[in-house]
Amino acid sequence: MSSKTMTVAGIMSGTSADGIDVAVVRIVPGKQRPKVTLLAHEGFAFPAALRRAVLAAMNAESTSTAELARLNWRLGIAYTEAVQATLNRHKVKLDLIGCHGQTLFHQAQPVSYAGKRFTCTWQAGEPAVIATTLGIPVVSNFRPADMVAGGQGAPLVPLLDYVQFADAKRGRVLQNIGGIGNLTAIPAAATSDQVIAFDTGPGNMVVDALALALFGKPFDRNGAIAASGNVLDAVLQAELRNPYYRLEPPRTAGREQFGREYAAKFLSSCKRHSRKPEDALATATALTAETIALSYKRYVLPRMRKSAVDYIVSGGGARNRTLMAMLTERLQPLGCDVATSEQFGLPAEAKEAAAFALLAWQTWHHQPANVPAATGAARAVILGQVTYA
């Protein structure tokens, strides 16, 4: 199938479960790689009742099939409304939609169940609701094909990172800070099979949980609360001994590792050392910054060919001034110039949504979209399933 220029919307709702990002991009085929141009981006907060339902379903010890079926359908309605609102505001005509869905469970390592050991993942959000309502085909369910091929089903953003940011002379690290932190490292003049990508650890997940528990806020806007606290070094150093941070890439993380149970234990540790709630927020923010810097130093820096390195941050964490200051303090001595993806022409909150637009385009043209060096898959595979309008 010959590739063609298309206008594609990508839909993303991440592990923070705070809302939906829609990115509309034009994708033009190229000799070496396609060209992706952002046309529009909008963000939509989840209604409070839907966010509660999503958070309750994530890593839930028990729920009902009725609850999960309803949530799957309700998310499809929310995604449909988000795309329709974006189209109303920007008057673009779509050829295709790529919907990541809402991850409710991601098991990247094999576990025994009913007599067999296997990995599995589940992203909710009924694609038929979107495709049939809007009259536009939808590509969804991107992660399973990579996992069946031996990968971890994540990260899947590295294809966009490589297409948009690879440079002949400068190394580039693309650090997304959503609920979980993940990076893509592209050495100068790298080919796609030389890309390094993995989850660094908690992004906003622990910070958001503590902001809600201690201050009744869904997140720490601009890092203002953390800025008024002190980092509890004893807590931080204890958390850095978590075995996760010494796992060799490729590796993935989610609410299973750093969700509400982890946040509750982290908060208890902070309370044993300080009665000041701002200190807990400062320490959680420092944990994110420290684990990102450690991940870079241990697993990326030795491969960056001694070139200048642009460390480009996206996701909600890029808006947290305290976190960005902590990152800059730790990464500058390692030779990194810290910036946000906005400074490179792609708004921080649009990048993951744009990535799934690109993945959908690849699927539509029967082209593989995983990066085996990033996910650990044995081979490149075509991702996703198409729901026709």
PDB file of all heavy atoms in Angstrom, residues 184-201:
ATOM      1  N   THR A 184      12.999   9.050  25.781  1.00  0.00           N
ATOM      2  CA  THR A 184      13.539   8.519  24.533  1.00  0.00           C
ATOM      3  C   THR A 184      14.861   9.234  24.299  1.00  0.00           C
ATOM      4  O   THR A 184      14.900  10.460  24.262  1.00  0.00           O
ATOM      5  CB  THR A 184      12.603   8.783  23.349  1.00  0.00           C
ATOM      6  OG1 THR A 184      11.320   8.226  23.615  1.00  0.00           O
ATOM      7  CG2 THR A 184      13.164   8.175  22.071  1.00  0.00           C
ATOM      8  N   ALA A 185      15.927   8.464  24.138  1.00  0.00           N
ATOM      9  CA  ALA A 185      17.247   9.041  23.897  1.00  0.00           C
ATOM     10  C   ALA A 185      17.678   8.727  22.467  1.00  0.00           C
ATOM     11  O   ALA A 185      17.634   7.573  22.040  1.00  0.00           O
ATOM     12  CB  ALA A 185      18.264   8.483  24.886  1.00  0.00           C
ATOM     13  N   ILE A 186      18.070   9.782  21.747  1.00  0.00           N
ATOM     14  CA  ILE A 186      18.464   9.650  20.347  1.00  0.00           C
ATOM     15  C   ILE A 186      19.879  10.210  20.193  1.00  0.00           C
ATOM     16  O   ILE A 186      20.067  11.432  20.164  1.00  0.00           O
ATOM     17  CB  ILE A 186      17.500  10.413  19.421  1.00  0.00           C
ATOM     18  CG1 ILE A 186      16.041  10.062  19.743  1.00  0.00           C
ATOM     19  CG2 ILE A 186      17.815  10.125  17.956  1.00  0.00           C
ATOM     20  CD1 ILE A 186      15.036  10.968  19.076  1.00  0.00           C
ATOM     21  N   PRO A 187      20.887   9.359  20.144  1.00  0.00           N
ATOM     22  CA  PRO A 187      22.247   9.876  19.945  1.00  0.00           C
ATOM     23  C   PRO A 187      22.353  10.651  18.637  1.00  0.00           C
ATOM     24  O   PRO A 187      21.542  10.463  17.716  1.00  0.00           O
ATOM     25  CB  PRO A 187      23.098   8.592  19.901  1.00  0.00           C
ATOM     26  CG  PRO A 187      22.284   7.561  20.619  1.00  0.00           C
ATOM     27  CD  PRO A 187      20.856   7.900  20.305  1.00  0.00           C
ATOM     28  N   ALA A 188      23.324  11.536  18.547  1.00  0.00           N
ATOM     29  CA  ALA A 188      23.533  12.291  17.315  1.00  0.00           C
ATOM     30  C   ALA A 188      23.731  11.330  16.150  1.00  0.00           C
ATOM     31  O   ALA A 188      24.446  10.326  16.271  1.00  0.00           O
ATOM     32  CB  ALA A 188      24.753  13.198  17.471  1.00  0.00           C
ATOM     33  N   ALA A 189      23.069  11.626  15.031  1.00  0.00           N
ATOM     34  CA  ALA A 189      23.176  10.836  13.794  1.00  0.00           C
ATOM     35  C   ALA A 189      22.728   9.386  13.967  1.00  0.00           C
ATOM     36  O   ALA A 189      23.156   8.499  13.238  1.00  0.00           O
ATOM     37  CB  ALA A 189      24.600  10.884  13.250  1.00  0.00           C
ATOM     38  N   ALA A 190      21.834   9.141  14.916  1.00  0.00           N
ATOM     39  CA  ALA A 190      21.389   7.767  15.185  1.00  0.00           C
ATOM     40  C   ALA A 190      20.397   7.298  14.125  1.00  0.00           C
ATOM     41  O   ALA A 190      19.644   8.089  13.552  1.00  0.00           O
ATOM     42  CB  ALA A 190      20.737   7.691  16.559  1.00  0.00           C
ATOM     43  N   THR A 191      20.398   6.005  13.880  1.00  0.00           N
ATOM     44  CA  THR A 191      19.337   5.372  13.113  1.00  0.00           C
ATOM     45  C   THR A 191      18.254   4.936  14.097  1.00  0.00           C
ATOM     46  O   THR A 191      18.479   4.921  15.316  1.00  0.00           O
ATOM     47  CB  THR A 191      19.868   4.162  12.344  1.00  0.00           C
ATOM     48  OG1 THR A 191      20.469   3.243  13.271  1.00  0.00           O
ATOM     49  CG2 THR A 191      20.909   4.587  11.318  1.00  0.00           C
ATOM     50  N   SER A 192      17.081   4.539  13.599  1.00  0.00           N
ATOM     51  CA  SER A 192      15.961   4.230  14.490  1.00  0.00           C
ATOM     52  C   SER A 192      16.261   3.050  15.412  1.00  0.00           C
ATOM     53  O   SER A 192      15.734   2.981  16.526  1.00  0.00           O
ATOM     54  CB  SER A 192      14.697   3.952  13.686  1.00  0.00           C
ATOM     55  OG  SER A 192      14.884   2.845  12.829  1.00  0.00           O
ATOM     56  N   ASP A 193      17.120   2.129  14.968  1.00  0.00           N
ATOM     57  CA  ASP A 193      17.422   0.976  15.824  1.00  0.00           C
ATOM     58  C   ASP A 193      18.452   1.293  16.904  1.00  0.00           C
ATOM     59  O   ASP A 193      18.800   0.432  17.714  1.00  0.00           O
ATOM     60  CB  ASP A 193      17.879  -0.226  14.995  1.00  0.00           C
ATOM     61  CG  ASP A 193      19.131   0.050  14.173  1.00  0.00           C
ATOM     62  OD1 ASP A 193      19.615   1.206  14.172  1.00  0.00           O
ATOM     63  OD2 ASP A 193      19.625  -0.887  13.516  1.00  0.00           O
ATOM     64  N   GLN A 194      18.935   2.543  16.949  1.00  0.00           N
ATOM     65  CA  GLN A 194      19.860   2.968  17.994  1.00  0.00           C
ATOM     66  C   GLN A 194      19.181   3.826  19.064  1.00  0.00           C
ATOM     67  O   GLN A 194      19.825   4.314  19.978  1.00  0.00           O
ATOM     68  CB  GLN A 194      21.024   3.748  17.372  1.00  0.00           C
ATOM     69  CG  GLN A 194      21.894   2.909  16.456  1.00  0.00           C
ATOM     70  CD  GLN A 194      22.908   3.737  15.688  1.00  0.00           C
ATOM     71  OE1 GLN A 194      22.603   4.824  15.192  1.00  0.00           O
ATOM     72  NE2 GLN A 194      24.120   3.233  15.582  1.00  0.00           N
ATOM     73  N   VAL A 195      17.871   3.962  18.951  1.00  0.00           N
ATOM     74  CA  VAL A 195      17.104   4.731  19.926  1.00  0.00           C
ATOM     75  C   VAL A 195      16.999   3.955  21.234  1.00  0.00           C
ATOM     76  O   VAL A 195      16.849   2.730  21.239  1.00  0.00           O
ATOM     77  CB  VAL A 195      15.696   5.031  19.371  1.00  0.00           C
ATOM     78  CG1 VAL A 195      14.798   5.620  20.441  1.00  0.00           C
ATOM     79  CG2 VAL A 195      15.796   5.978  18.178  1.00  0.00           C
ATOM     80  N   ILE A 196      17.106   4.662  22.355  1.00  0.00           N
ATOM     81  CA  ILE A 196      16.978   4.076  23.691  1.00  0.00           C
ATOM     82  C   ILE A 196      15.730   4.670  24.324  1.00  0.00           C
ATOM     83  O   ILE A 196      15.547   5.888  24.290  1.00  0.00           O
ATOM     84  CB  ILE A 196      18.204   4.431  24.568  1.00  0.00           C
ATOM     85  CG1 ILE A 196      19.516   4.138  23.840  1.00  0.00           C
ATOM     86  CG2 ILE A 196      18.133   3.708  25.916  1.00  0.00           C
ATOM     87  CD1 ILE A 196      20.665   5.016  24.281  1.00  0.00           C
ATOM     88  N   ALA A 197      14.875   3.838  24.901  1.00  0.00           N
ATOM     89  CA  ALA A 197      13.661   4.384  25.515  1.00  0.00           C
ATOM     90  C   ALA A 197      13.192   3.474  26.641  1.00  0.00           C
ATOM     91  O   ALA A 197      13.266   2.252  26.533  1.00  0.00           O
ATOM     92  CB  ALA A 197      12.561   4.552  24.471  1.00  0.00           C
ATOM     93  N   PHE A 198      12.714   4.096  27.724  1.00  0.00           N
ATOM     94  CA  PHE A 198      12.222   3.332  28.869  1.00  0.00           C
ATOM     95  C   PHE A 198      11.530   4.274  29.845  1.00  0.00           C
ATOM     96  O   PHE A 198      11.665   5.493  29.762  1.00  0.00           O
ATOM     97  CB  PHE A 198      13.359   2.586  29.567  1.00  0.00           C
ATOM     98  CG  PHE A 198      14.500   3.458  30.043  1.00  0.00           C
ATOM     99  CD1 PHE A 198      14.529   3.939  31.346  1.00  0.00           C
ATOM    100  CD2 PHE A 198      15.541   3.794  29.187  1.00  0.00           C
ATOM    101  CE1 PHE A 198      15.572   4.739  31.787  1.00  0.00           C
ATOM    102  CE2 PHE A 198      16.600   4.591  29.623  1.00  0.00           C
ATOM    103  CZ  PHE A 198      16.610   5.060  30.932  1.00  0.00           C
ATOM    104  N   ASP A 199      10.795   3.694  30.786  1.00  0.00           N
ATOM    105  CA  ASP A 199      10.152   4.475  31.845  1.00  0.00           C
ATOM    106  C   ASP A 199      11.171   4.770  32.940  1.00  0.00           C
ATOM    107  O   ASP A 199      11.873   3.859  33.414  1.00  0.00           O
ATOM    108  CB  ASP A 199       8.967   3.705  32.434  1.00  0.00           C
ATOM    109  CG  ASP A 199       7.773   3.670  31.492  1.00  0.00           C
ATOM    110  OD1 ASP A 199       7.807   4.361  30.459  1.00  0.00           O
ATOM    111  OD2 ASP A 199       6.809   2.948  31.795  1.00  0.00           O
ATOM    112  N   THR A 200      11.239   6.025  33.356  1.00  0.00           N
ATOM    113  CA  THR A 200      12.202   6.418  34.383  1.00  0.00           C
ATOM    114  C   THR A 200      11.675   6.168  35.794  1.00  0.00           C
ATOM    115  O   THR A 200      12.458   6.018  36.732  1.00  0.00           O
ATOM    116  CB  THR A 200      12.566   7.905  34.233  1.00  0.00           C
ATOM    117  OG1 THR A 200      11.367   8.693  34.219  1.00  0.00           O
ATOM    118  CG2 THR A 200      13.319   8.134  32.925  1.00  0.00           C
ATOM    119  N   GLY A 201      10.341   6.139  35.955  1.00  0.00           N
ATOM    120  CA  GLY A 201       9.752   5.959  37.279  1.00  0.00           C
ATOM    121  C   GLY A 201       8.559   6.882  37.433  1.00  0.00           C
ATOM    122  O   GLY A 201       7.918   7.259  36.446  1.00  0.00           O
TER     123      GLY A 201
END
